[in-house]
Amino acid sequence: MAKKRTKSKSKKTTTAAKKKVSFKPSKQNKIIFGSLLIVLSIALFFSFMSFYFTWQEDQSMLSQFADRNAQASNLLNKFGANVSHFFMYKGFGLASFVFPFLLAVTGLYLFLGLNGKRLISKWIWGLVGVIWGSVALGFFAADFPLLGGLIGYEMNDFLQDYTGKIGVFLILIFVLMVILVQLFNFTPEGFANFFRKQKQKIKSDFKEEPSVQTTETPIENEEGSIILSTDDSVPEKIDTYTHKEDIPPLNEEAGLDVNLPQEEESDLDLKVEETTIEEETDAKAAKLVEDFGEFDPKLELGNYKFPTLDLLEAHGASGGITINQEELEENKNRIVSTLKNYKIGIAQIKATIGPTVTLYEIVPEAGIRISKIKNLEDDIALSLAALGIRIIAPIPGKGTVGIEVPNKNATIVSMRSVIASNKFQKAEMELPIAFGKTISNETFVVDLAKMPHMLMAGATGQGKSVGLNAVITSLLYKKHPAEVKFILVDPKKVELTLYNKIERHFLAKLPDSEEAIITDNTKVINTLNSLCIEMDHRYELLKSAMVRNIKEYNTKFKARKLNPNDGHKFLPYIVLVIDEFADLIMTAGKEVETPIARLAQLARAIGIHLIIATQRPSVNVITGIIKANFPARIAFRVTSKIDSRTILDAQGADQLIGRGDMLFTQGNDVTRLQCAFVDTPEVAKITDYIGSQRAYPEAHVLPEYVGEESGTSLDNDIADRDAMFRDAAEVIVIAQQGSASLIQRKLKLGYNRAGRIIDQLEAAGIVGPFEGSKARQVLVPDMYSLEQLLENEAK
């Protein structure tokens, strides 16, 4: 014990030493230091500017810095006079103006929290430029030492002693060439093209304008055809129609440079210099990544620490499963004797021991019908005197019949053992969930992003709430707050309240909602419809980014290939958890079922995933529409075979033993698991640990949803209309599509403001009333009708 304590003490001291040595400035310190550098750069700039007008008057003040009565003529008084004298006269002369620029850039990097990898190269090239400028000014303006400074003058004089004036000139030219090539990508071809274009421009300015004639010349290329309609004096814009893959994600104008030779119109040749837009965009994105690094969505909460394992309890036996050899032998003998009574011979039998259930695999003798063994389920259960016997005939992928027999002493599977397993820790999944352990005592980890939605059912007290906590806990241990958001619906009002503590880290809610965890059925309906709006908006973003799913979109956004000015942003995964679905169906019915079905059908690609739990898996709760879109199902123990078929489309859930014993299917095989146990105090510890850390200013805000009744009570007061009302009306009429997301995208507005403008457009009679998830009908057919309508209103 003493050795262990000394080891733990030494570990603590080493970690404490590491913490003391490593220093990482906080965001606040970076902002303060960045502001200081910016202010200092401005002070230096004005001091240097003032030096060339006041240096003669301030010469006598340089030695009187400590005298408060002495005043200098420099704009920054004695400080400016002394600093500018040091840099401009004793230093590098005019080249010293580079120093305020470098300080300002450094300050901006710190103030804005940008990646500072490029700062070192900026300072290196800045110093090279200062030295070159000082020497160059000392060479070309040797009679004016103030221009090059004392350093430039002395360095120029030193170099001339060894290389002469011609040598110094050649050195300056060489260094200038290095700077142009490294910093400005100077090439002889680019230099020649610049002068060629200038020459052609001068020629075209002096040439007389010929008579205007229009010619149409088709040009074939790999993408399709370009039809150019141009007169000879003013070339019109060329429109190229390309495949979707070639459209750039950034709103950057890129065109084709057209050079028309000055010849007769009958011999008109067209030379088209094509530029690949995608390559230009990739190059600009690569430059941004090189300057600032990839976009990091975790940067705002860069100091966030994931929950530690010691927050979880090690329930059950610490040494794993204990094998009771006597119990195994007894069960084997009873199974063999029961089957022998019905003249069923066994060629081989083996056992696989799990935490709560042992699987006995039987190889029957040749000629035995599998259905005969299946029909003996109750007889085997009677002989073993055990609850929850389940026969799998045959086991998928094996030539054996399985008989699952509960252990007399079940082992609790702790959440800690599941989270600590290598399978979970090394899982390369988007949304990894560790449910528990299989019959073979292996940790069972699945990806919620690939399910993509999950249905969970079971009788009261059989482990549904613990299962939901296991799902949420798995994601909290694996994902950063920037990567995933939860919407928690808890009609019971007591099961999920602990997660209120992590509201500003992990939860999402409607705007103006007081609590993030939803307990009111009316708010559930609004939330589901809001999620449908969010889904439609995300699909618009994916469409404009030309990607198929959220993973590709976020990868492209991190690589800075998408412009935030076009409405693009990093998209976190959204997980909707409903604890008691039957209660919602009873009170709301179709109002809940319709948006859930729509989300289940479409929301997979844009990162919205649904987890629905219910204790009543009847056909009026879990309807055909719901089942068809929830391929992943979890069944805890239910009371009847009908309920088992409703949730799993198979029997077996009625034969489970309860207390976390569950069946999982993802559309193919059914797997029996023991759900990991995470107790309420453990969840409280985890939420306290996360909630005590720095959080976002507020919970993730969902789009505002306005119900059907909201549009009828709107008044049509022109004075209260939004400043962008007319622009929005023109956008809606031209597109003939009445949606807030269209206004948001075209006019670059927030969603709440766009929603208010839509309400004003409805009140003005430009768009129709709200129609659920469909776009509103546009009541004005064209721009002329819109002008007439707005003029009549003004009168």
Side-chain angles (χ1 to χ4, degrees):
M1 291 294 290
K3 288 181 179 179
K4 288 184 178 178
R5 286 177 183 173
T6 53
K7 284 184 180 179
S8 62
K9 284 182 181 179
S10 62
K11 284 183 180 178
K12 288 179 181 178
T13 53
T14 53
T15 53
K18 286 181 181 177
K19 287 182 180 178
K20 288 179 182 178
V21 171
S22 61
F23 173 74
K24 186 177 180 182
S26 63
K27 187 175 180 181
Q28 291 84 355
N29 291 338
K30 287 182 179 179
I31 293 173
I32 294 170
F33 190 57
S35 304
L36 175 64
L37 292 181
I38 292 171
V39 170
L40 182 60
S41 68
I42 296 171
L44 288 179
F45 177 79
F46 283 107
S47 299
F48 294 172
M49 287 287 293
S50 180
F51 173 80
Y52 283 98
F53 301 97
T54 62
W55 68 274
Q56 290 179 327
E57 302 171 22
D58 293 340
Q59 285 295 309
S60 59
M61 298 294 167
L62 297 177
S63 59
Q64 302 179 28
F65 188 82
D67 187 1
R68 292 186 60 182
N69 295 322
Q71 298 294 316
S73 300
N74 193 286
L75 288 176
L76 272 81
N77 211 328
K78 287 182 286 186
F79 169 81
N82 282 272
V83 169
S84 58
H85 178 78
F86 176 79
F87 278 97
M88 307 298 283
Y89 179 75
K90 292 186 175 181
F92 302 96
L94 280 175
S96 299
F97 275 98
V98 174
F99 288 113
F101 171 76
L102 291 174
L103 287 174
V105 170
T106 306
L108 283 173
Y109 267 71
L110 292 170
F111 187 84
L112 299 176
L114 301 176
N115 192 340
K117 291 180 180 178
R118 295 281 295 173
L119 271 178
I120 297 175
S121 63
K122 289 183 186 299
W123 273 91
I124 291 172
W125 284 109
L127 293 175
V128 170
V130 166
I131 295 170
W132 182 88
S134 179
V135 174
L137 288 169
F139 179 81
F140 292 106
D143 296 334
F144 302 97
L146 282 178
L147 296 178
L150 187 61
I151 291 177
Y153 181 83
E154 293 294 339
M155 287 182 69
N156 180 65
D157 192 47
F158 174 79
L159 290 172
Q160 285 191 24
D161 288 343
Y162 289 93
T163 62
K165 286 192 175 183
I166 296 176
V168 174
F169 179 76
L170 293 176
I171 291 171
L172 290 172
I173 293 296
F174 172 72
V175 176
L176 177 63
M177 186 62 65
V178 171
I179 294 172
L180 291 175
V181 171
Q182 291 292 329
L183 293 184
F184 303 103
N185 296 324
F186 170 81
T187 59
E189 294 84 0
F191 192 69
N193 286 336
F194 173 77
F195 279 101
R196 190 182 298 117
K197 286 181 181 178
Q198 294 300 320
K199 183 179 178 182
Q200 289 176 356
K201 186 178 179 182
I202 293 169
K203 278 187 178 181
S204 62
D205 289 341
F206 283 96
K207 186 178 177 181
E208 294 181 0
E209 294 186 1
S211 58
V212 176
Q213 294 184 4
T214 303
T215 62
E216 293 187 356
T217 307
I219 308 155
E220 297 292 334
N221 62 9
E222 293 178 0
E223 321 295 345
S225 63
I226 304 171
I227 297 179
L228 171 66
S229 177
T230 160
D231 60 61
D232 295 337
S233 58
V234 184
E236 292 186 2
K237 186 180 177 182
I238 299 175
D239 292 326
T240 61
Y241 299 90
T242 63
H243 297 296
K244 284 188 177 180
E245 294 82 13
D246 297 327
I247 302 172
L250 297 176
N251 283 345
E252 296 162 354
E253 294 184 4
L256 304 176
D257 296 331
V258 181
N259 296 325
L260 296 178
Q262 307 297 325
E263 297 179 4
E264 295 181 3
E265 290 146 43
S266 58
D267 297 325
L268 182 65
D269 291 326
L270 182 67
K271 181 182 178 183
V272 180
E273 295 178 2
E274 292 193 6
T275 58
T276 306
I277 299 173
E278 187 175 355
E279 290 180 1
E280 287 184 358
T281 305
D282 289 344
K284 289 181 179 178
K287 183 72 166 60
L288 285 172
V289 171
E290 186 181 353
D291 289 344
F292 306 107
E294 281 199 348
F295 174 77
D296 184 7
K298 305 175 185 177
L299 194 61
E300 190 172 351
L301 296 185
N303 296 325
Y304 174 80
K305 295 178 181 178
F306 287 86
T308 55
L309 279 176
D310 55 8
L311 299 173
L312 296 169
E313 299 291 334
H315 299 283
S318 58
I321 296 173
T322 55
I323 300 173
N324 189 335
Q325 197 67 39
E326 185 179 333
E327 181 185 349
L328 287 176
E329 196 67 28
E330 184 181 346
N331 286 340
K332 183 201 79 170
N333 293 334
R334 286 184 179 180
I335 290 171
V336 171
S337 62
T338 303
L339 294 176
K340 189 179 287 186
N341 291 337
Y342 292 93
K343 297 179 181 179
I344 297 174
I346 298 174
Q348 184 183 348
I349 183 169
K350 70 172 184 177
T352 305
I353 305 168
T356 56
V357 174
T358 299
L359 173 66
Y360 294 88
E361 291 186 56
I362 298 168
V363 180
E365 290 180 349
I368 301 297
R369 298 180 64 180
I370 299 297
S371 59
K372 194 174 181 181
I373 301 176
K374 182 72 175 173
N375 293 332
L376 295 175
E377 193 169 66
D378 294 335
D379 297 284
I380 296 172
L382 179 64
S383 67
L384 294 173
L387 176 70
I389 297 292
R390 179 170 169 263
I391 294 181
I392 311 167
I395 296 177
K398 296 182 179 181
T400 58
V401 176
I403 301 176
E404 294 174 347
V405 181
N407 299 333
K408 289 182 180 178
N409 297 315
T411 303
I412 298 175
V413 176
S414 67
M415 196 70 203
R416 177 170 182 159
S417 65
V418 172
I419 295 291
S421 65
N422 285 333
K423 194 167 185 180
F424 180 76
Q425 292 293 333
K426 297 180 180 178
E428 295 182 358
M429 301 175 179
E430 294 300 311
L431 297 172
I433 295 174
F435 275 121
K437 293 192 176 181
T438 63
I439 287 178
S440 57
N441 204 35
E442 293 179 1
T443 303
F444 189 80
V445 182
V446 290
D447 190 359
L448 178 61
K450 292 182 178 179
M451 286 186 185
H453 312 292
M454 187 167 61
L455 194 58
M456 188 182 292
T460 304
Q462 301 304 316
K464 290 190 310 302
S465 296
V466 174
L468 289 177
N469 284 333
V471 170
I472 298 172
T473 301
S474 298
L475 295 175
L476 292 180
Y477 266 88
K478 201 71 173 174
K479 307 305 287 185
H480 189 274
E483 298 174 312
V484 64
K485 302 294 178 184
F486 295 97
I487 300 173
L488 303 180
V489 179
D490 183 15
K492 298 179 186 175
K493 304 181 181 180
V494 294
E495 294 291 350
L496 302 175
T497 51
L498 286 172
Y499 297 103
N500 264 326
K501 300 171 187 175
I502 58 172
E503 175 181 328
R504 293 188 296 133
H505 290 88
F506 280 101
L507 301 190
K509 64 179 183 179
L510 290 171
D512 303 325
S513 271
E514 293 182 4
E515 294 185 356
I517 296 176
I518 306 162
T519 56
D520 183 14
N521 288 345
T522 305
K523 289 185 178 179
V524 176
I525 297 168
N526 292 342
T527 302
L528 292 174
N529 285 286
S530 173
L531 267 181
C532 289
I533 296 170
E534 174 72 12
M535 177 182 72
D536 294 334
H537 176 58
R538 287 190 173 200
Y539 268 117
E540 290 291 338
L541 291 177
L542 261 63
K543 179 183 175 183
S544 62
M546 289 176 302
V547 293
R548 296 181 303 166
N549 55 55
I550 187 174
K551 186 176 181 181
E552 294 177 6
Y553 178 90
N554 284 337
T555 301
K556 207 167 185 178
F557 187 83
K558 286 179 182 178
R560 301 188 184 272
K561 294 182 180 180
L562 300 175
N563 194 341
N565 293 329
D566 297 337
H568 291 293
K569 58 185 177 181
F570 181 82
L571 300 179
Y573 285 91
I574 297 177
V575 180
L576 170 66
V577 179
I578 300 178
D579 187 28
E580 186 44 70
F581 186 60
D583 183 65
L584 296 180
I585 291 294
M586 288 176 62
T587 55
K590 289 289 182 184
E591 289 182 282
V592 167
E593 185 181 354
T594 302
I596 280 184
R598 188 163 182 266
L599 287 168
Q601 289 167 358
L602 299 174
R604 172 182 183 174
I606 44 83
I608 297 177
H609 302 280
L610 280 58
I611 300 174
I612 293 175
T614 181
Q615 64 182 3
R616 191 155 60 88
S618 55
V619 291
N620 61 336
V621 175
I622 303 175
T623 61
I625 295 176
I626 298 295
K627 282 181 67 175
N629 295 292
F630 284 76
R633 320 260 180 85
I634 287 179
F636 293 91
R637 185 168 183 258
V638 294
T639 54
S640 68
K641 288 181 170 60
I642 296 173
D643 288 348
S644 178
R645 286 197 186 97
T646 303
I647 181 69
L648 291 177
D649 294 324
Q651 294 184 17
D654 56 312
Q655 296 164 326
L656 299 174
I657 60 173
R659 294 179 61 84
D661 190 17
M662 60 181 257
L663 296 175
F664 174 82
T665 179
Q666 206 166 340
N668 38 34
D669 301 335
V670 178
T671 306
R672 191 167 185 174
L673 305 169
Q674 177 61 38
C675 183
F677 180 66
V678 52
D679 205 0
T680 303
E682 296 174 70
V683 176
K685 287 180 185 177
I686 294 168
T687 54
D688 285 336
Y689 182 85
I690 295 173
S692 64
Q693 301 184 53
R694 181 173 172 268
Y696 294 107
E698 59 180 353
H700 183 79
V701 179
L702 297 171
E704 186 176 9
Y705 170 74
V706 182
E708 293 183 11
E709 70 281 354
S710 63
T712 56
S713 60
L714 293 173
D715 56 356
N716 193 13
D717 190 354
I718 299 176
D720 292 337
R721 283 179 181 170
D722 194 280
M724 302 291 285
F725 174 84
R726 190 182 185 91
D727 294 334
E730 292 175 357
V731 167
I732 292 292
V733 171
I734 291 171
Q736 285 295 300
Q737 179 185 346
S739 68
S741 59
L742 177 67
I743 296 175
Q744 183 186 13
R745 198 168 60 254
K746 293 292 186 182
L747 301 181
K748 296 182 175 60
L749 302 177
Y751 198 90
N752 294 342
R753 186 178 178 187
R756 287 193 294 271
I757 294 176
I758 278 286
D759 291 338
Q760 293 169 5
L761 291 172
E762 180 188 348
I766 296 173
V767 298
F770 178 79
E771 297 181 18
S773 58
K774 293 166 57 179
R776 295 173 185 250
Q777 182 183 359
V778 181
L779 305 177
V780 178
D782 51 39
M783 290 296 295
Y784 177 75
S785 302
L786 177 64
E787 293 291 339
Q788 292 294 109
L789 177 65
L790 296 178
E791 286 179 9
N792 292 335
E793 282 188 341
K795 293 176 183 178

